[in-house]
Amino acid sequence: MTVATPAGSAPAEPGARPELDALLAELADGERRWAATPLTGRVALLGRVHAAVAAEAQAWVRTASRIKLLADDSPLTGEEWMSGPYALLTSLDALARSLRAVAAGRSPLDGARFGRAPGGRVTVPVLPLTAHDRLLLNGFTAEVWMPPGTDAETVRRRAGLGALDPQRTGGVGLVLGAGNITSIAPLDVLYELIAHNRVVLLKLNPVLGDLEPVYRRALAPLIEYGVLRIVSGGGDVGGYLAHHPGVAHVHITGSLATHDVVAFGPGEEGRARKAAGTPLLTKPMTSELGGVSPVIVVPGEWSEADLRYQAEHIATQRLHNSGHNCIATQLVLLGEDWPQRETFLRLLRTALERLPARPAWYPGSAQRLADAAASHPGAEWQGAEGSRLLVDLGDGRDAATLETTEYFAPVLGVLTLPGTGADFLDRAVETANRDLVGTLGANVLVDPATLRRLGPAFDDALAALRYGTIAVNAWTALGFLTATAPWGAYPGHTVDDAQSGIGVVHNALLIDGPERTVVRGPFRPFPRSVAGGEWALFPKPPWFVTARSAALTGRRLTRFAARPSWARMPGVFAAAFRA
């Protein structure tokens, strides 16, 4: 069968396998070209991709908004700017900086001021790194914690990954793209190319199929250079490619169920293979999967404004992208003995109720909401037309289903635990580690006074919390958006117990073997942050679902990332402070 296809793409029908085979043959040639491309040439190529992404940003956001059933004038389109072209542009810049350093005989970590964390861990600062970072994200920091026993000199020497030996390529990597956040698939492509020296066949998720023309234009320099091909189609195409002898490695972003089908096969036979530990797919596989993400609310003395702001913060963590995020907070851990618990719950209900309804656009969301309601008869429908669900697990209700089922829909649970101070925090950490499925991201909210009282015990608790990204007074999504931060599950998972996945992506400083990323932000927005003793000039974050100027801020941030300039800073700030 002969099917005419655009450059870099292929038809999805099973009968079109010769076309898929042909694309893999083209990538084999591309691998040889990639091996012969010096780091300076790779930097130049990333620069051309950067220009192409900037040119496609408007079309990218417009198409993504249409897929997600958002009106063009909705503030929520700000999510598409920030988690789409903005995220890719910043990653391209950061990767180019790392490649330039290695090409000049330096480490991407030269000049880094390493720190220490509990357990003898070395820490690496990854945000802020530039003057622009310090202004645009004033008050936010991120650091990478290395595993115990890894010294700073080893971390510095090994940073660079594939760029340290660019002629040693890794074959063709198959990227099975995500269907929810539009920058994920292109970011995974970049990591395969730069960190692992693998040329890439990207199989798009059908949910984002309408973005294929945009991706092909935005990534055209990679396609034209012969190191990327893009295909669309369903599971049959993904399965054929994953087991193809021309593919050396598979990376998937999706659900644990999809991961297991790829690794072990479908149905009863697949489940039997998993139980026996005998995967059908024998080639190396990495993954970024989901899970049940918690937010631990450490009891303290909060003002009414604090309570309201953090209620909106948690609502954002659940309802961003209509709840269709792998790190959307699903379970709130509250202190039973916290005097303000009932007030906070009332304000959380208010935040969920008052937010405008938005389409649950991802396939299957309505059914997952119905399943959650059926599993929890006392659940409360919130929002216009009952578009979201709050499950208060008080009074001894069984929490197991909510702790072990990633709903990938606007479902939020509340679990109450006894204790205050360090006792509550340790109990919450133990509960998250023991009972919740997944290790991708966890959030902790704690006011500055309580944080000071906890002292070193707080960081000890973070060290005990086994998650790939931990956000303190922030949302782990900021770790996702920070190009220089590694992104992935807590290390140690295997194909037959993948949990939230294996390996990391993003990681534009090309750090070898990170353990986790710890993001920290201000407890209060400016100006209350400064009044409360936190030197942070950041207003309500533009990623909040209640931010009125999110679309304008996202658009201006993306234009800034496309062409950084001090002259563009005031426009970004003006938009952000209107949130």
Side-chain angles (χ1 to χ4, degrees):
M1 180 178 69
T2 301
V3 180
T5 61
S9 71
E13 295 85 354
R17 289 175 180 175
E19 283 83 353
L20 298 175
D21 297 342
L23 292 182
L24 287 170
E26 292 172 9
L27 285 170
D29 291 337
E31 181 187 5
R32 289 187 283 274
R33 184 179 298 108
W34 195 237
T37 304
L39 295 182
T40 52
R42 297 183 184 191
V43 170
L45 185 60
L46 293 182
R48 294 199 293 274
V49 176
H50 190 277
V53 172
E56 284 300 312
Q58 183 73 53
W60 181 328
V61 171
R62 187 180 299 116
T63 305
S65 298
R66 186 173 66 247
I67 292 170
K68 299 182 182 185
L69 307 178
L70 296 175
D72 288 342
D73 60 352
S74 170
L76 295 172
T77 61
E79 297 177 0
E80 301 313 311
W81 284 102
M82 286 178 274
S83 65
Y86 172 79
L88 187 56
L89 288 167
T90 56
S91 185
L92 286 160
D93 272 343
L95 284 168
R97 288 197 300 271
S98 291
L99 292 186
R100 288 191 200 99
V102 177
R106 298 181 287 107
S107 167
L109 299 181
D110 279 357
R113 303 181 70 174
F114 293 90
R116 307 291 294 182
R121 291 172 171 86
V122 166
T123 65
V124 185
V126 296
L127 178 77
L129 290 182
T130 68
H132 291 158
D133 291 343
R134 292 181 182 90
L135 285 174
L136 288 175
L137 288 166
N138 191 269
F140 288 90
T141 65
E143 59 186 13
V144 173
W145 290 17
M146 301 301 295
T150 305
D151 63 87
E153 182 52 38
T154 299
V155 177
R156 181 183 286 107
R157 185 179 69 253
R158 292 181 179 174
L161 298 178
L164 298 176
D165 191 1
Q167 294 181 330
R168 184 178 180 181
T169 52
V172 177
L174 172 64
V175 170
L176 299 175
N180 59 334
I181 296 297
T182 61
S183 65
I184 291 177
L187 288 169
D188 292 348
V189 166
L190 288 181
Y191 201 66
E192 287 289 288
L193 281 168
I194 303 302
H196 300 301
N197 287 336
R198 284 192 283 264
V199 296
V200 181
L201 180 57
L202 168 62
K203 205 287 285 186
L204 296 178
N205 189 301
V207 176
L208 298 183
D210 286 352
L211 272 168
E212 183 177 357
V214 174
Y215 286 147
R216 277 194 276 108
R217 294 192 297 269
L219 303 175
L222 300 177
I223 295 170
E224 293 162 2
Y225 201 66
V227 296
L228 172 66
R229 293 293 181 261
I230 301 175
V231 301
S232 56
D236 54 343
V237 174
Y240 176 74
L241 292 171
H243 294 275
H244 196 288
V247 169
H249 180 275
V250 176
H251 177 79
I252 179 173
T253 300
S255 68
L256 178 60
T258 303
H259 167 277
D260 285 351
V261 167
V262 174
F264 298 99
E268 288 298 329
E269 291 184 1
R271 286 187 282 274
R273 289 190 194 96
K274 182 176 180 180
T278 55
L280 189 63
L281 185 71
T282 56
K283 63 190 63 175
M285 185 177 184
T286 53
S287 50
E288 190 261 89
L289 311 174
V292 175
S293 292
V295 55
I296 298 170
V297 182
V298 182
E301 296 181 18
W302 297 7
S303 69
E304 182 79 7
D306 294 337
L307 293 163
R308 187 178 301 108
Y309 175 78
Q310 296 299 349
E312 290 185 14
H313 196 176
I314 292 176
T316 291
Q317 294 173 15
R318 177 68 265 182
L319 300 180
H320 181 280
N321 202 33
S322 203
H324 308 315
N325 285 334
C326 55
I327 47 157
T329 289
Q330 185 168 300
L331 198 60
V332 184
L333 304 184
L334 290 181
E336 181 179 62
D337 303 312
W338 185 28
Q340 295 179 298
R341 180 174 65 90
E342 289 304 319
T343 302
F344 183 72
L345 275 176
R346 173 177 57 80
L347 290 170
L348 180 59
R349 286 186 174 92
T350 300
L352 294 172
E353 180 66 33
R354 289 184 178 176
L355 284 168
R358 65 183 298 181
W361 61 273
Y362 202 84
S365 180
Q367 184 59 55
R368 289 189 292 274
L369 271 169
D371 290 345
S375 298
H376 303 282
E380 308 166 28
W381 289 100
Q382 302 284 349
E385 303 173 0
S387 56
R388 50 198 73 120
L389 198 66
L390 179 66
V391 183
D392 188 346
L393 294 165
D395 302 324
R397 295 177 188 169
D398 183 13
T401 302
L402 203 61
E403 292 172 336
T404 58
T405 304
E406 182 197 4
Y407 281 109
F408 210 67
V411 178
L412 182 64
V414 178
L415 181 63
T416 301
L417 302 173
T420 58
D423 178 61
F424 166 81
L425 181 57
D426 291 343
R427 194 183 306 271
V429 168
E430 180 185 8
T431 298
N433 287 341
R434 182 191 63 221
D435 298 336
L436 306 190
V437 166
T439 64
L440 186 60
N443 311 276
V444 183
L445 302 179
V446 56
D447 67 272
T450 301
L451 186 58
R452 287 191 294 271
R453 283 196 297 272
L454 288 169
F458 184 78
D459 274 5
D460 288 341
L462 295 189
L465 191 55
R466 296 193 298 272
Y467 284 81
T469 297
I470 300 171
V472 179
N473 293 334
W475 180 26
T476 46
L478 183 57
F480 174 93
L481 284 176
T482 300
T484 48
W487 179 254
Y490 192 80
H493 299 312
T494 58
V495 170
D496 56 352
D497 183 25
Q499 293 269 330
S500 288
I502 302 167
V504 300
V505 290
H506 304 186
N507 188 26
L509 292 174
L510 303 174
I511 298 169
D512 185 30
E515 182 185 68
R516 73 184 84 190
T517 299
V518 178
V519 178
R520 301 177 196 257
F523 180 71
R524 302 175 178 96
F526 180 81
R528 290 195 303 110
S529 55
V530 175
E534 299 175 285
W535 186 249
L537 305 181
F538 204 83
K540 175 189 285 188
W543 53 82
F544 266 41
V545 290
T546 52
R548 293 172 294 182
S549 59
L552 180 62
T553 306
R555 184 166 63 249
R556 289 182 177 176
L557 273 171
T558 303
R559 289 175 178 170
F560 176 86
R563 197 175 65 185
S565 164
W566 292 109
R568 294 190 171 199
M569 283 269 189
V572 176
F573 295 146
F577 276 89
R578 289 167 53 187

